[in-house]
Amino acid sequence: MTRGILQVYLGAAPGVGKTFSMLEEGRRLREKGLDVVVGLVETHGRAETARMAEGLELIPRLRVAHRGVELGELDLATLIARQPDWALVDELAHTNAPGSKNDKRWQDVQELLEAGINVISTVNIQHIESLNDVVQSITGVTQRETIPDSVLRSADQIEVVDLAPEALRTRLSGGQIYPAGTIDAALSNYFRLGNLTALRELALLWLADEVDVALQEYRNEHGIRGKWEARERVVVALPGGAEGETLIRRGARIAARSSGGQLLAVHVASSDGLAESNPAALLSQRTLVESLGGSYHQVVGDSTPTALVEFARGVNATQLVIGVSRRSRLTAFLTGQGIGATVIRASGDIDVHIVSHASAGTLQLPRSRGALTVRRRLGGFVLAVLGLPLLTLLLSSFRSNESLVSEVLAFQLLIVVVALVGGIWPAVTAAVFAGLALDYFFVEPLYRVTIANPLHLLALLIFLIIAVLVSLVVDQAASRSRAAKRSAAEAETLATVAGSIIRGENAVEALANRLREVFGMNSVTVYYNDAEIYEAGAVAGGDDDTQTVVPLSDQGSVVLRGRDLQASDRRILDAFVSQIEAALVQNELRTAARGIRPLEEADRLRTALLAAVGHDLRTPLSSATAAVSSLRSTDVDWSDRDRDELLATAEESLHRLADLVNDLLDASRLQAGVLPISLATVGLDEIVPLALDELRVPLGRVRVDVAPDLPEATCDPVLVQRVLVNLIANALRYSPEDAPLIITASSFGERVELRVIDRGPGIPKERLAEAFQPFQRLGDTDNTTGVGLGLALSNGFMEAMGGSLEAEDTPGGGLTMVISLPTGKGHS
């Protein structure tokens, strides 16, 4: 039986229209003459979805009893027996009721597919197993119903049902997704604009990655090796030296020229671990690549050009950036074409850019480096000194006219053995004396050194050439062996250092201690900004201790006291020093950030205080002055009623002035850090009535929805009441008489939020940032509505309590002020 087709509609959040799209597709298939059945659909009370399901055959739900409650689940057996062409099964990640055949609905769908039934289903991005923790960090909500990634990836067709976050919030506020009683809580929590935007991006990126994987699988299945320029991918080859930064920046510029260009940097490590590279340089270049939005990769290969081209083809690269060879011109001439020429020849349709840099090769002789130990060189000399006489004595006893060839080969073998043991100088010495011994003891005339025949001179030269060539091979092998051991030790050391930092140890201390242990130093001291940061070891050494100073940019140094460091120690030392420098800079930035934060808060509050003094004091003071001046005037004969009204105005203004001065004094003390804030855990349902009573709000103007079982907030209740009075007064002032003010509360993670929602004119988005500046209210002479604290002071009080005050648009028009406070649990 042919397996059925699985088609899935993927959404970023509930309410985007997945179920509607599933039913719409079902109706389209039915119109084409196919047998379509609704196995299970969840309308969630949405009228439009229910209407779309009308006219489609519906399989009745299977009733499953659980703890005295009857639950409706997919009737899998009936649906398989029915054998439709297509089955519509909603909510793929749903958990079945206990007692069902399968634990999860996606397992039911798998059985339908095995039965040859095509299935259309739906799922939200938050239900994908690999993204579950990411969604939780974004929304603060734990999703307990998940679906394995492999199940969704096995779908034959995945389609994203996309809806702009603003449009989704509008649908929600219009009652098209959830019942009216849950709209405010949903808008305040899961359906925040930022949450929806992040979830939308997550869904689109997940599908884009799946499309990329599908494209690569198709190319592999069909043996397509050429590039498909679905998007520009630039691969930068990092040789492991300082020139890598130049190559990365050039590659980034190439990628930036095309929309959606992708930057990848790759370092090809030799499979034998012997290729020379600078770990500190590679670490710095990895950081640079990631800061430019690219990704760093490391592959292992016997042939660098082959591995590089294979990687580029594997990621479907369109551009390949490599550097000019670091080999000298003489070396290139002697050894033939380098990596660049090989890569160009093998790259095919991938464009190759060869970039010049400061480390490019120049005309110079290759350096001769010896890697054999002193003991091996002495052993080679000893073997030459002892072996030549013994071999000469042995061959002399068998000398004949026909034995010259054997004698030449025997001396040649001895030279090779000496070269293998002691390297070039013992081998050259053995070659010279072997040539002389051969001429003296075995070539006519005997017992005289004469080179009458030019062939004898040629034999001596051949001896020397063999000695040199074999010695070079031995020296190179020894050098590579030593480099491999050192690389392994360096890798183990760096892994240990990284592990120390990951385990939570202080980065500078861990690095300094490991540095001292690795190089066997008596002490390692780190200086930064003319101060000693840390000293590792502090072991008393002798007067002959060597002091090595390694600078840290222009601001410090690392001082090592102990033995002399070899040139080969520099690579690992540079890696340590670069890590220490990065850790010091991070510590400095962290300290600076902690020092700046109080200054910023103090400056912000000071600015708010000055602005409030300039505005809020002027209004009641002007009103009181005008009233008193009028009463003192002798030009007007005031009636008793007018006099009482002026006195009332003066009294009210002075009372408001006194309240404002007290508030400003409290805020000044808060700025100076001398105002005691009495933090307590209180319920918001206790504070809201007090604020309404203070304002004497008429009945019907405010609707309060604050649940008594809401988590208690950690705050100063008096300050919160002041802020709330100011927000409610502002909302009432600008909200229409027929549109009641709404005060609602909800919890989100370890925060509790109180929202004051009005249906007034609101604030344009471009001016939301100005909302916390002091403002004019209906002119400066209005003394009946009060002057208030101003949002700037309210915001200062909230931040002092560890809370926040934010302004949002009310869906459908108006302004929503959000008070956010930590819960008692979060501060326990």
Side-chain angles (χ1 to χ4, degrees):
M1 181 179 295
T2 304
R3 179 181 172 85
I5 297 172
L6 176 59
Q7 181 177 340
V8 179
Y9 286 97
L10 175 66
V16 296
K18 302 180 304 300
T19 303
F20 187 91
S21 299
M22 178 188 72
L23 294 170
E24 188 177 38
E25 177 68 7
R27 296 173 73 93
R28 188 186 66 80
L29 292 171
R30 190 189 64 172
E31 291 173 358
K32 293 175 62 176
L34 298 174
D35 184 14
V36 180
V37 170
V38 178
L40 191 143
V41 63
E42 299 287 358
T43 64
H44 297 289
R46 299 164 191 165
E48 293 181 2
T49 306
R51 281 195 297 270
M52 184 59 66
E54 294 175 359
L56 292 173
E57 180 183 345
L58 177 65
I59 300 293
R61 298 195 182 200
L62 180 67
R63 314 312 296 182
V64 179
H66 176 62
R67 295 182 179 178
V69 179
E70 201 172 62
L71 304 175
E73 297 292 351
L74 175 68
D75 192 342
L76 181 62
T78 301
L79 189 55
I80 293 178
R82 172 66 174 73
Q83 280 291 309
D85 295 327
W86 287 87
L88 310 184
V89 182
D90 208 3
E91 297 189 357
L92 190 60
H94 171 77
T95 301
N96 293 331
S100 302
K101 181 181 179 182
N102 296 312
D103 294 334
K104 296 286 187 175
R105 186 166 294 166
W106 63 264
Q107 295 172 324
D108 296 338
V109 169
Q110 293 294 319
E111 290 198 25
L112 292 175
L113 296 174
E114 293 295 333
I117 301 173
N118 303 320
V119 178
I120 303 177
S121 189
T122 64
V123 71
N124 278 330
I125 194 70
Q126 68 263 27
H127 297 301
I128 299 177
E129 180 65 44
S130 64
L131 300 178
N132 186 256
D133 57 339
V134 179
V135 174
Q136 181 182 358
S137 67
I138 294 172
T139 64
V141 179
T142 302
Q143 298 291 341
R144 304 192 181 280
E145 293 186 330
T146 59
I147 178 175
D149 291 49
S150 57
V151 174
L152 192 55
R153 289 195 177 100
S154 66
D156 300 276
Q157 181 177 339
I158 303 175
E159 182 175 337
V160 171
V161 181
D162 188 33
L163 187 65
E166 295 83 356
L168 182 57
R169 283 173 58 88
T170 300
R171 288 192 64 194
L172 178 61
S173 61
Q176 296 176 282
I177 300 178
Y178 292 147
T182 61
I183 291 176
D184 291 333
L187 287 171
S188 306
N189 294 283
Y190 196 89
F191 285 80
R192 295 166 178 240
L193 184 61
N195 289 357
L196 296 178
T197 303
L199 293 174
R200 184 190 191 195
E201 181 182 19
L202 202 61
L204 294 174
L205 287 175
W206 189 90
L207 185 62
D209 288 341
E210 291 305 304
V211 171
D212 222 15
V213 171
L215 176 62
Q216 191 58 43
E217 290 178 352
Y218 178 85
R219 283 162 50 84
N220 293 336
E221 290 174 0
H222 292 77
I224 300 173
R225 303 292 294 172
K227 65 179 181 181
W228 279 14
E229 298 185 21
R231 63 170 140 169
E232 200 79 30
R233 285 187 175 90
V234 181
V235 172
V236 178
L238 301 180
E243 68 273 23
E245 293 190 4
T246 302
L247 304 180
I248 291 170
R249 291 189 173 92
R250 180 61 181 273
R253 290 196 296 271
I254 295 174
R257 292 171 188 164
S258 63
S259 178
Q262 187 177 1
L263 177 66
L264 303 94
V266 59
H267 172 65
V268 180
S270 175
S271 59
D272 57 12
L274 302 178
E276 293 187 1
S277 60
N278 188 333
L282 287 174
L283 179 64
S284 173
Q285 290 159 22
R286 177 172 189 164
T287 304
L288 176 60
V289 169
E290 293 172 351
S291 69
L292 293 172
S295 57
Y296 176 87
H297 307 267
Q298 184 161 325
V299 297
V300 178
D302 295 323
S303 170
T304 298
T306 302
L308 185 58
V309 173
E310 287 180 353
F311 175 83
R313 294 194 183 280
V315 297
N316 196 21
T318 59
Q319 311 278 341
L320 183 56
V321 178
I322 62 178
V324 174
S325 176
R326 286 182 290 174
R327 301 183 308 161
S328 68
R329 297 173 190 171
L330 180 60
T331 304
F333 175 78
L334 294 174
T335 60
Q337 292 183 334
I339 292 176
T342 308
V343 168
I344 292 174
R345 190 169 56 252
S347 62
D349 54 1
I350 300 176
D351 297 335
V352 179
H353 303 260
I354 299 182
V355 180
S356 183
H357 50 81
S359 302
T362 56
L363 183 59
Q364 57 183 5
L365 291 173
R367 297 181 181 179
S368 176
R369 294 172 295 177
L372 298 179
T373 62
V374 175
R375 178 177 295 182
R376 285 190 61 176
R377 292 196 185 98
L378 290 176
F381 280 115
V382 170
L383 180 60
V385 170
L386 297 179
L388 280 172
L390 292 176
L391 180 61
T392 302
L393 182 62
L394 178 63
L395 294 176
S396 297
S397 61
F398 298 100
R399 184 175 53 202
S400 65
N401 294 333
E402 292 80 15
S403 63
L404 182 60
V405 175
S406 300
E407 292 154 357
V408 171
L409 292 176
F411 277 108
Q412 184 174 319
L413 176 62
L414 177 63
I415 294 169
V416 171
V417 173
V418 171
L420 291 173
V421 174
I424 186 168
W425 296 117
V428 169
T429 303
V432 172
F433 282 101
L436 296 176
L438 185 63
D439 185 80
Y440 187 81
F441 289 102
F442 302 99
V443 178
E444 296 290 344
L446 299 178
Y447 310 117
R448 283 197 303 175
V449 178
T450 59
I451 307 180
N453 191 336
L455 293 177
H456 297 170
L457 178 61
L458 178 61
L460 180 59
L461 291 176
I462 292 174
F463 280 180
L464 291 173
I465 292 172
I466 292 174
V468 171
L469 292 179
V470 173
S471 300
L472 289 177
V473 172
V474 172
D475 188 78
Q476 187 178 30
S479 177
R480 290 193 171 191
S481 176
R482 179 178 297 181
K485 293 178 181 179
R486 184 172 186 85
S487 297
E490 290 177 356
E492 184 178 355
T493 300
L494 293 175
T496 304
V497 171
S500 301
I501 298 174
I502 291 173
R503 287 191 296 270
E505 299 180 21
N506 181 282
V508 176
E509 295 181 8
L511 289 166
N513 284 318
R514 298 299 179 190
L515 182 58
R516 187 182 71 84
E517 294 172 2
V518 167
F519 292 108
M521 292 294 176
N522 293 329
S523 68
V524 173
T525 309
V526 180
Y527 296 93
Y528 197 65
N529 288 337
D530 299 326
E532 180 181 313
I533 302 299
Y534 182 73
E535 184 174 15
V539 178
D543 296 335
D544 57 345
D545 277 357
T546 301
Q547 178 173 294
T548 304
V549 180
V550 184
L552 295 172
S553 297
D554 299 327
Q555 299 175 320
S557 61
V558 177
V559 179
L560 299 88
R561 297 179 179 87
R563 67 176 181 87
D564 290 329
L565 290 177
Q566 304 295 322
S568 57
D569 294 329
R570 274 292 172 180
R571 282 203 309 163
I572 192 69
L573 177 60
D574 289 343
F576 268 101
V577 170
S578 63
Q579 291 284 356
I580 291 174
E581 185 173 5
L584 288 170
V585 171
Q586 288 180 358
N587 289 343
E588 189 176 50
L589 293 175
R590 196 177 297 115
T591 303
R594 285 196 297 265
I596 291 173
R597 191 175 298 114
L599 296 178
E600 288 180 343
E601 294 175 357
D603 184 67
R604 183 165 55 249
L605 187 54
R606 184 184 301 110
T607 302
L609 286 171
L610 293 174
V613 168
H615 168 265
D616 292 345
L617 287 180
R618 184 174 68 242
T619 302
L621 189 60
S622 299
S623 299
T625 301
V628 172
S629 299
S630 298
L631 288 172
R632 287 176 55 85
S633 175
T634 58
D635 297 336
V636 181
D637 186 14
W638 300 103
S639 64
D640 291 340
R641 180 178 178 181
D642 292 337
R643 188 180 299 274
D644 289 341
E645 186 174 343
L646 289 172
L647 288 172
T649 299
E651 182 181 17
E652 181 182 358
S653 298
L654 292 174
H655 277 305
R656 297 298 302 171
L657 187 60
D659 292 340
L660 180 59
V661 169
N662 287 333
D663 290 337
L664 293 176
L665 288 175
D666 285 345
S668 298
R669 296 188 186 102
L670 178 62
Q671 176 193 8
V674 296
L675 176 68
I677 299 177
S678 302
L679 293 179
T681 53
V682 296
L684 295 181
D685 58 325
E686 301 175 13
I687 300 176
V688 174
L690 296 176
L692 295 175
D693 290 343
E694 181 178 342
L695 289 170
R696 298 178 183 179
V697 179
L699 294 175
R701 286 302 312 277
V702 178
R703 179 162 60 88
V704 180
D705 183 14
V706 180
D709 59 347
L710 200 69
E712 292 184 330
T714 300
C715 62
D716 186 325
V718 175
L719 292 181
V720 173
Q721 182 178 336
R722 290 186 186 180
V723 174
L724 193 55
V725 165
N726 181 61
L727 299 181
I728 295 174
N730 289 339
L732 289 173
R733 183 174 302 111
Y734 296 109
S735 190
E737 292 287 339
D738 59 346
L741 181 71
I742 300 175
I743 301 177
T744 180
S746 61
S747 62
F748 181 74
E750 294 187 350
R751 308 284 291 185
V752 62
E753 295 182 344
L754 189 66
R755 310 175 87 85
V756 180
I757 307 170
D758 68 55
R759 295 291 178 179
I763 301 175
K765 288 186 177 180
E766 62 272 12
R767 299 193 61 189
L768 278 177
E770 305 173 11
F772 296 97
Q773 300 298 322
F775 51 86
Q776 303 284 335
R777 287 193 217 83
L778 303 179
D780 288 340
T781 59
D782 181 6
N783 195 44
T784 61
T785 57
V787 292
L789 287 171
L791 289 179
L793 287 176
S794 298
N795 190 40
F797 285 131
M798 292 305 304
E799 291 183 352
M801 291 181 288
S804 65
L805 178 62
E806 297 179 354
E808 296 179 353
D809 287 333
T810 301
L815 183 67
T816 299
M817 300 302 299
V818 184
I819 295 176
S820 176
L821 291 163
T823 61
K825 181 178 69 172
H827 282 64
S828 60

